[in-house]
Amino acid sequence: MADTPFGAARRTSRRIRVITSAGIVAAVLLAVLLVPPLVQLDQQAVDLSARLRPPSWQHPFGTDDVGRDLLLRCVYGLRVSLLVGVVAGLTATVVGTAVGALAAAAGGWTDRLVMRLVDTFSSVPHLLLGIFVVAMFRPGVGPVIVSVALTHWLSTARIVRSEVLSLRSRPFVDAAISGGASRTRVVVRHLLPAVLPQAGLAAVLMVPHAMWHESALSFLGLGLPTHQASLGNLVQTARGSLLAGDWWPTLFPGLFLIVPTLALAGLAGAWRERINPRRRSELML
């Protein structure tokens, strides 16, 4: 059957999206891994004589309100924000996968109790609960990671639970139980490997979500210390400059946050279509 022009154009658009997203993610990873050790410059160095200079050949992104190179600060800020996003996203995915698999495999009152707890935590806004968690500690990377991880495992738990419940009725599970396999063995050897693609997709989507939450907490002054470069801190400290008409201290940190998250979302969308081509429902995290 001949391919329709619409189908060919759609596949070409999807391929371009995936290639572009992969290129952006690769460039981001190279920047955060190679720039700090190769560029022998202090991103905290203050030069008041060069404060708030617009973008130029010497400073492609300009300088901030105390003369620090904004490009270097953005790379270091992206490095910290990406670290928080990856660690918090993986932690939340592991916790959500374990809780969802436990609830679905146990069934009965255990399933009902666990899901009522999930519903209770979900009723509280993520940002409000995250503020409550970080307020109990000193500002730093660790409290932000804990805050994001503890507030973002709920959606993964629901997804994994629904997948495990659908898998429990499959013939291979009945065959394993009939062969004398224990419930723990069925979960570890059969159910968890089957839900790993969905859990991996949730982890990928969790990374940009966690980066935005870290930026929101830092923007509110509750995340990382103000002297430590993160994308949220850079945007927060540039508010006064924006009101004075200096746009670059706000624009470039914002782009460093928006562009990588869109690239990760593009890759996650392609992954979702590959593992589940017949269902295009959105995975809300």
Side-chain angles (χ1 to χ4, degrees):
M1 184 175 180
D3 192 14
T4 63
F6 177 76
R10 185 174 181 177
R11 276 195 297 273
T12 301
S13 175
R14 186 185 304 120
R15 189 179 302 112
I16 293 174
R17 182 188 66 189
V18 172
I19 293 174
T20 304
S21 299
I24 292 173
V25 172
V28 166
L29 293 177
L30 289 175
V32 299
L33 292 176
L34 298 181
V35 169
L38 293 180
V39 179
Q40 300 299 320
L41 295 175
D42 184 8
Q43 54 103 8
Q44 296 282 15
V46 174
D47 184 6
L48 295 178
S49 63
R51 62 185 303 271
L52 291 177
R53 287 185 177 177
S56 62
W57 286 110
Q58 185 179 2
H59 301 286
F61 286 3
T63 60
D64 61 9
D65 57 346
V66 291
R68 293 173 295 193
D69 184 78
L70 199 56
L71 174 58
L72 195 59
R73 294 276 291 171
C74 286
V75 171
Y76 273 88
L78 179 60
R79 192 184 193 190
V80 173
S81 298
L82 193 61
L83 172 65
V84 172
V86 171
V87 176
L90 291 177
T91 304
T93 301
V94 171
V95 173
T97 301
V99 172
L102 172 64
W109 66 268
T110 302
D111 183 26
R112 291 192 294 271
L113 176 61
V114 171
M115 296 317 296
R116 293 298 77 75
L117 289 175
V118 170
D119 293 339
T120 301
F121 279 104
S122 298
S123 64
V124 182
H126 288 173
L127 185 58
L128 182 61
L129 187 58
I131 290 173
F132 175 77
V133 173
V134 297
M136 296 187 298
F137 304 94
R138 291 183 178 180
V141 175
V144 173
I145 291 176
V146 171
S147 169
V148 176
L150 289 180
T151 56
H152 289 78
W153 58 271
L154 307 170
S155 298
T156 304
R158 286 199 180 97
I159 294 168
V160 172
R161 174 181 176 271
S162 64
E163 290 292 327
V164 172
L165 287 176
S166 66
L167 290 171
R168 284 175 55 181
S169 59
R170 300 290 179 85
F172 70 91
V173 175
D174 294 335
I177 295 176
S178 301
S182 64
R183 181 176 295 181
T184 303
R185 182 176 178 83
V186 170
V187 173
V188 175
R189 294 293 300 272
H190 299 284
L191 297 180
L192 281 180
V195 301
L196 282 181
Q198 293 289 347
L201 175 60
V204 173
L205 286 172
M206 193 75 68
V207 172
H209 201 74
M211 291 174 61
W212 278 94
H213 270 259
E214 178 277 322
S215 298
L217 291 173
S218 297
F219 183 80
L220 294 174
L222 298 170
L224 303 180
T226 55
H227 68 274
Q228 187 170 4
S230 75
L231 297 178
N233 277 341
L234 293 178
V235 175
Q236 195 274 340
T237 56
R239 289 183 301 172
S241 301
L242 181 63
L243 294 176
D246 300 319
W247 48 269
W248 57 92
T250 304
L251 174 65
F252 292 114
L255 290 177
F256 264 64
L257 181 62
I258 293 172
V259 174
T261 56
L262 290 178
L264 287 172
L267 291 180
W271 186 353
R272 179 176 53 205
E273 293 177 1
R274 179 172 292 274
I275 66 176
N276 202 352
R278 294 185 179 182
R279 186 173 65 190
R280 300 289 191 260
S281 60
E282 291 295 327
L283 181 61
M284 299 302 293
L285 292 175

